[in-house]
Coordinates of all heavy atoms in Angstrom, one line a residue:
N1 N -0.6 6.2 3.2 CA -1.7 6.8 2.5 C -2.9 7.1 3.3 O -4.0 7.5 2.8 CB -2.1 6.0 1.3 CG -1.0 5.9 0.2 OD1 -0.3 6.9 0.0 ND2 -0.9 4.7 -0.4
V2 N -2.8 7.1 4.7 CA -3.9 7.4 5.5 C -4.1 8.9 5.6 O -3.2 9.6 6.1 CB -3.7 6.8 6.9 CG1 -4.9 7.3 7.8 CG2 -3.8 5.3 6.9
R3 N -5.2 9.4 5.1 CA -5.5 10.8 5.3 C -6.7 11.0 6.3 O -7.6 10.1 6.3 CB -5.9 11.4 3.9 CG -4.8 11.5 2.9 CD -5.3 12.2 1.6 NE -4.2 12.2 0.6 CZ -3.4 13.3 0.5 NH1 -3.5 14.3 1.3 NH2 -2.5 13.3 -0.5
L4 N -6.6 12.1 7.0 CA -7.7 12.4 7.9 C -8.8 13.1 7.2 O -8.7 13.4 6.0 CB -7.1 13.2 9.1 CG -5.9 12.6 9.8 CD1 -5.5 13.6 10.9 CD2 -6.3 11.3 10.4
S5 N -9.9 13.3 7.9 CA -11.1 13.9 7.2 C -10.8 15.3 6.7 O -11.5 15.7 5.7 CB -12.2 14.0 8.2 OG -12.6 12.7 8.6
D6 N -9.8 16.0 7.2 CA -9.4 17.3 6.6 C -8.5 17.2 5.4 O -8.1 18.2 4.9 CB -8.8 18.2 7.7 CG -7.5 17.7 8.2 OD1 -7.0 16.7 7.7 OD2 -7.0 18.3 9.2
G7 N -8.2 16.0 5.0 CA -7.3 15.8 3.8 C -5.9 15.7 4.1 O -5.1 15.3 3.2
S8 N -5.4 15.9 5.4 CA -4.0 15.8 5.7 C -3.6 14.4 6.0 O -4.4 13.6 6.4 CB -3.7 16.7 6.9 OG -4.4 16.2 8.1
F9 N -2.3 14.1 5.7 CA -1.8 12.8 6.1 C -1.7 12.7 7.6 O -1.3 13.6 8.3 CB -0.4 12.6 5.5 CG -0.4 12.3 4.0 CD1 0.1 13.3 3.2 CD2 -0.9 11.1 3.5 CE1 0.1 13.0 1.8 CE2 -0.9 10.9 2.2 CZ -0.4 11.8 1.3
L10 N -2.1 11.5 8.1 CA -2.1 11.3 9.6 C -0.7 11.5 10.1 O -0.5 12.0 11.2 CB -2.6 9.9 9.9 CG -2.8 9.5 11.4 CD1 -3.8 8.4 11.5 CD2 -1.5 9.1 12.0
V11 N 0.3 11.1 9.3 CA 1.7 11.1 9.8 C 2.4 12.5 9.7 O 3.5 12.7 10.2 CB 2.6 10.1 9.1 CG1 2.1 8.7 9.4 CG2 2.7 10.4 7.6
A12 N 1.7 13.4 9.0 CA 2.4 14.7 8.7 C 2.7 15.4 10.0 O 1.9 15.7 10.9 CB 1.5 15.6 7.9
G13 N 4.0 15.8 10.2 CA 4.5 16.5 11.3 C 4.6 15.7 12.6 O 4.9 16.2 13.7
R14 N 4.4 14.3 12.5 CA 4.5 13.5 13.7 C 5.8 12.7 13.7 O 6.3 12.2 12.7 CB 3.3 12.5 13.7 CG 1.9 13.3 13.7 CD 0.8 12.4 14.0 NE -0.5 13.2 14.0 CZ -0.9 14.0 14.9 NH1 -0.3 14.0 16.1 NH2 -2.1 14.6 14.8
H15 N 6.3 12.5 14.9 CA 7.5 11.7 15.1 C 7.1 10.2 15.1 O 6.2 9.8 15.7 CB 8.1 12.1 16.5 CG 8.5 13.5 16.6 ND1 9.8 13.9 16.3 CD2 7.9 14.6 16.9 CE1 9.9 15.2 16.5 NE2 8.7 15.7 16.8
L16 N 7.9 9.5 14.3 CA 7.6 8.0 14.3 C 8.9 7.2 14.0 O 10.0 7.8 13.6 CB 6.6 7.7 13.2 CG 6.7 8.2 11.8 CD1 7.8 7.4 11.0 CD2 5.4 8.1 11.0
A17 N 8.8 5.9 14.1 CA 9.8 5.0 13.8 C 9.3 4.0 12.8 O 8.0 3.7 12.9 CB 10.4 4.3 15.1
A18 N 10.1 3.4 12.0 CA 9.7 2.4 11.0 C 10.9 1.7 10.5 O 12.1 2.2 10.7 CB 8.9 3.0 9.9
F19 N 10.8 0.6 9.9 CA 11.9 -0.2 9.3 C 12.7 0.8 8.4 O 12.1 1.4 7.5 CB 11.4 -1.3 8.5 CG 12.4 -2.4 8.2 CD1 12.8 -3.2 9.3 CD2 12.9 -2.6 7.0 CE1 13.8 -4.2 9.1 CE2 13.8 -3.7 6.7 CZ 14.3 -4.5 7.8
T20 N 14.0 0.9 8.7 CA 14.7 2.0 8.0 C 15.2 1.5 6.7 O 15.3 0.4 6.3 CB 16.0 2.4 8.9 OG1 16.9 1.3 8.9 CG2 15.6 2.7 10.3
D21 N 15.6 2.5 5.9 CA 16.2 2.2 4.6 C 17.4 1.4 4.7 O 17.7 0.5 3.9 CB 16.5 3.5 3.8 CG 15.2 4.3 3.5 OD1 14.1 3.9 3.8 OD2 15.3 5.4 2.9
D22 N 18.2 1.7 5.7 CA 19.5 1.0 5.9 C 19.2 -0.5 6.3 O 19.9 -1.4 5.8 CB 20.3 1.6 7.1 CG 21.1 2.8 6.6 OD1 21.2 3.0 5.4 OD2 21.6 3.6 7.5
E23 N 18.1 -0.7 7.1 CA 17.8 -2.1 7.4 C 17.3 -2.8 6.2 O 17.6 -4.0 6.0 CB 16.7 -2.1 8.5 CG 17.3 -1.8 9.9 CD 16.3 -1.6 11.0 OE1 15.2 -1.0 10.7 OE2 16.5 -2.0 12.1
E24 N 16.5 -2.1 5.3 CA 16.1 -2.8 4.1 C 17.3 -3.1 3.2 O 17.3 -4.2 2.6 CB 15.1 -1.8 3.3 CG 14.2 -2.5 2.4 CD 13.1 -3.3 3.1 OE1 12.1 -2.7 3.6 OE2 13.3 -4.5 3.2
R25 N 18.3 -2.3 3.1 CA 19.5 -2.6 2.4 C 20.2 -3.8 3.0 O 20.8 -4.6 2.3 CB 20.4 -1.4 2.3 CG 19.7 -0.2 1.5 CD 20.7 0.9 1.3 NE 20.0 2.1 0.7 CZ 19.6 3.1 1.3 NH1 19.8 3.2 2.6 NH2 19.0 4.1 0.7
A26 N 20.2 -3.8 4.3 CA 20.9 -4.9 5.0 C 20.3 -6.3 4.7 O 21.1 -7.3 4.7 CB 20.9 -4.6 6.5
V27 N 19.0 -6.3 4.5 CA 18.4 -7.6 4.1 C 18.3 -7.8 2.6 O 17.7 -8.8 2.2 CB 17.0 -7.8 4.8 CG1 17.2 -7.8 6.3 CG2 16.1 -6.7 4.4
K28 N 18.9 -6.9 1.9 CA 19.1 -7.0 0.4 C 17.7 -7.0 -0.3 O 17.5 -7.7 -1.3 CB 19.9 -8.2 0.0 CG 21.3 -8.1 0.6 CD 22.2 -9.2 0.1 CE 23.6 -9.3 0.8 NZ 24.3 -8.0 0.8
L29 N 16.8 -6.2 0.2 CA 15.4 -6.2 -0.4 C 15.1 -4.8 -0.9 O 13.9 -4.5 -1.2 CB 14.4 -6.7 0.6 CG 14.4 -8.2 0.9 CD1 13.5 -8.5 2.0 CD2 14.2 -9.0 -0.3
E30 N 16.1 -3.9 -0.9 CA 15.8 -2.5 -1.3 C 15.3 -2.4 -2.7 O 14.5 -1.4 -3.1 CB 17.0 -1.6 -1.0 CG 18.1 -1.8 -2.0 CD 19.1 -2.9 -1.6 OE1 18.7 -3.8 -0.8 OE2 20.3 -2.8 -2.1
H31 N 15.6 -3.4 -3.6 CA 15.1 -3.4 -5.0 C 14.0 -4.3 -5.2 O 13.5 -4.5 -6.3 CB 16.3 -3.7 -5.9 CG 17.4 -2.7 -5.8 ND1 17.3 -1.4 -6.0 CD2 18.8 -2.9 -5.5 CE1 18.5 -0.8 -5.9 NE2 19.4 -1.7 -5.5

């Protein structure tokens, strides 16, 4: 939810990595 002063999301259009949905399922915490 980080928005810059121009109202855009900081992450918009940017390449990133984060804990994946598959990893969340693997630890059985997706729900």
